[in-house]
């Protein structure tokens, strides 16, 4: 059985874009009913400790998959930073032989970026030059790297509750020859982007302070923070896509994410021809990230295939 941690995965040199094909295959298989997955289930203690798990079977590929994530959301409990660790196991389903065990945070960190790239290929304005970040931490840097490889980015707009993190992101962008406008008002940041990436801390109790009415009519919003800080007070029409529609609706029903954004489609549907093409002036497209077992499954498959090829050489 192969075993990988974040260091081993980094040594393979796979960037987010390198997962697009396998994740796209997995999303399409899920929509077609070829992959059976269980929505994530969560246990949360009063201390802020939580455990999340999901699993799936892809019979046509003779694969089964398990993902778990354990963390501590201390921000609302003790005022400290939140932390988590995750692990995944890929099995051969016909004889239950474990093929790959992954531990670390890479899978959970990179998955939203891969989903954004798939959505951007289909819904972002062609030749997008401006990128807006609400939240300037790890997800902003990962998205900047990935989207700069897909679009001719010239400028980013950054809003963060910490001026220091916005400046750090500006310095990071400058190394890539991209100008940064640091915004004191989040509306200024949202208005500027052809693509908007929102990654405010997922700590429970986040109050909405962003309005989808600020988005350009042609823009793509990738809400890694699961739309918790967003409202649509302006009432502007938007197409809302989830990486996993059932997961999203369950989270809405249980009150874990806002229920003001009904889910129109699932991301994998566009890969099977089920989603409509964007119509002019139809409003922005919003990608909602509740987390997707199929996406993680596809990433694990990609890592296993790459490691298996390396072993055979």
């Amino acid at each position: 059985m192969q075993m990988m941690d974040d260091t081993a995965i980094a040594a393979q040199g796979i960037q987010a874009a390198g997962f697009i094909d396998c994740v796209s295959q997995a999303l399409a298989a899920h929509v077609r009913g070829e992959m059976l997955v269980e929505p994530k289930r969560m246990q949360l203690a009063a201390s802020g400790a939580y455990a999340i798990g999901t699993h799936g079977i892809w019979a046509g590929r003779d694969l089964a998959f398990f993902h778990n994530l354990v963390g501590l959301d201390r921000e609302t409990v003790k005022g400290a930073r939140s932390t988590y660790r995750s692990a995944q196991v890929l099995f051969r389903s016909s004889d239950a032989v474990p093929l790959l065990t992954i531990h670390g945070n890479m899978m959970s960190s990179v998955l939203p970026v891969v989903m954004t790239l798939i959505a951007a290929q289909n819904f972002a304005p062609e030749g997008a030059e401006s990128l807006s970040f609400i939240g300037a931490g790890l997800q902003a840097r990962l998205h900047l790297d990935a989207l700069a490889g897909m679009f001719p980015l010239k400028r980013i707009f950054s809003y963060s509750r910490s001026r220091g993190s916005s400046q750090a992101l500006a310095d990071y962008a400058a190394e890539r020859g991209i100008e940064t406008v640091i915004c004191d008002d989040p509306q200024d940041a949202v208005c500027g982007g052809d693509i908007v990436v929102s990654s405010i801390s997922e700590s429970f109790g986040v109050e909405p302070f962003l309005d989808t009415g600020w988005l350009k009519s042609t823009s793509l919003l990738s809400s890694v923070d699961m739309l918790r800080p967003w409202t649509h007070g302006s009432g502007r029409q938007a197409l809302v896509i989830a990486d996993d529609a059932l997961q999203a609706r369950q989270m809405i029903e249980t009150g874990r994410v806002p229920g003001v954004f009904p889910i129109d489609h699932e991301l994998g549907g566009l890969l099977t021809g089920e989603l409509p093409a964007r119509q002019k002036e139809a409003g922005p497209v919003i990608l909602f990230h509740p987390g997707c077992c199929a996406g993680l499954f596809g990433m694990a498959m990609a890592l296993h295939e790459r490691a298996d090829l390396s072993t055979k050489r």
Side-chain angles (χ1 to χ4, degrees), residues 14-202:
I14 306 180
Q15 303 299 315
F19 290 105
I20 289 177
D21 287 346
C22 280
V23 170
S24 295
Q25 292 170 28
L27 293 175
H30 178 223
V31 168
R32 290 194 296 258
E34 298 166 4
M35 176 193 291
L36 303 177
V37 300
E38 178 74 14
K40 292 187 299 184
R41 297 184 182 275
M42 180 177 188
Q43 297 291 333
L44 174 65
S47 65
Y50 60 87
I52 300 172
T54 183
H55 54 273
I57 297 176
W58 195 347
R61 295 292 185 101
D62 191 19
L63 293 171
F65 176 76
F66 174 77
H67 162 74
N68 79 331
L69 188 150
V70 177
L72 182 60
D73 182 24
R74 295 179 290 200
E75 196 162 344
T76 58
V77 180
K78 299 179 181 179
R81 291 178 62 85
S82 300
T83 186
Y84 71 90
R85 295 290 184 273
S86 66
Q88 297 79 33
V89 183
L90 185 70
F91 299 86
R92 190 165 58 227
S93 58
S94 57
D95 55 10
V97 170
L99 303 173
L100 171 65
T101 296
I102 306 165
H103 56 94
N105 293 343
M106 189 285 293
M107 294 278 280
S108 295
S109 297
V110 174
L111 177 65
V113 185
V114 180
M115 294 298 183
T116 299
L117 293 179
I118 294 172
Q121 284 180 328
N122 293 272
F123 292 111
E126 185 176 353
E129 296 183 346
S130 60
L131 174 59
S132 295
F133 291 107
I134 306 298
L138 174 62
Q139 283 299 319
R141 295 193 299 275
L142 292 174
H143 275 82
L144 176 58
D145 285 342
L147 289 167
M150 183 175 285
F151 296 97
L153 297 179
K154 296 180 179 179
R155 180 180 295 109
I156 68 171
F157 298 85
S158 174
Y159 171 83
S160 174
R161 291 172 290 184
S162 164
R163 183 84 179 187
S165 61
S166 276
Q167 185 58 57
L169 181 62
D171 295 342
Y172 190 76
E175 294 174 1
R176 288 149 182 77
I178 300 174
E179 174 192 0
T180 299
V181 178
I182 297 177
C183 303
D184 295 322
D185 185 333
Q187 182 172 356
D188 294 337
V190 172
C191 289
D194 296 321
I195 302 170
V196 179
V197 177
S198 170
S199 58
I200 298 299
S201 170
E202 296 178 4

Side-chain angles (χ1 to χ4, degrees), residues 183-269:
C183 303
D184 295 322
D185 185 333
Q187 182 172 356
D188 294 337
V190 172
C191 289
D194 296 321
I195 302 170
V196 179
V197 177
S198 170
S199 58
I200 298 299
S201 170
E202 296 178 4
S203 299
F204 300 98
V206 173
E207 293 296 328
F209 67 98
L210 304 167
D211 189 335
T212 56
W214 302 340
L215 295 164
K216 296 180 181 179
S217 62
T218 57
S219 66
L220 168 69
L221 164 62
S222 178
S223 180
V224 181
D225 44 31
M226 296 183 282
L227 292 172
R228 287 183 176 125
W230 290 89
T231 67
H232 62 82
S234 65
R236 167 179 279 178
Q237 179 184 0
L239 180 69
V240 181
I241 300 171
D243 56 7
D244 186 322
L246 178 59
Q247 180 75 68
R249 290 172 181 134
Q250 286 192 357
M251 294 178 75
I252 290 170
E253 289 171 3
T254 57
R256 289 178 55 201
V257 296
V260 295
F261 294 94
I263 306 303
D264 297 310
H265 294 288
E266 186 165 309
L267 182 58

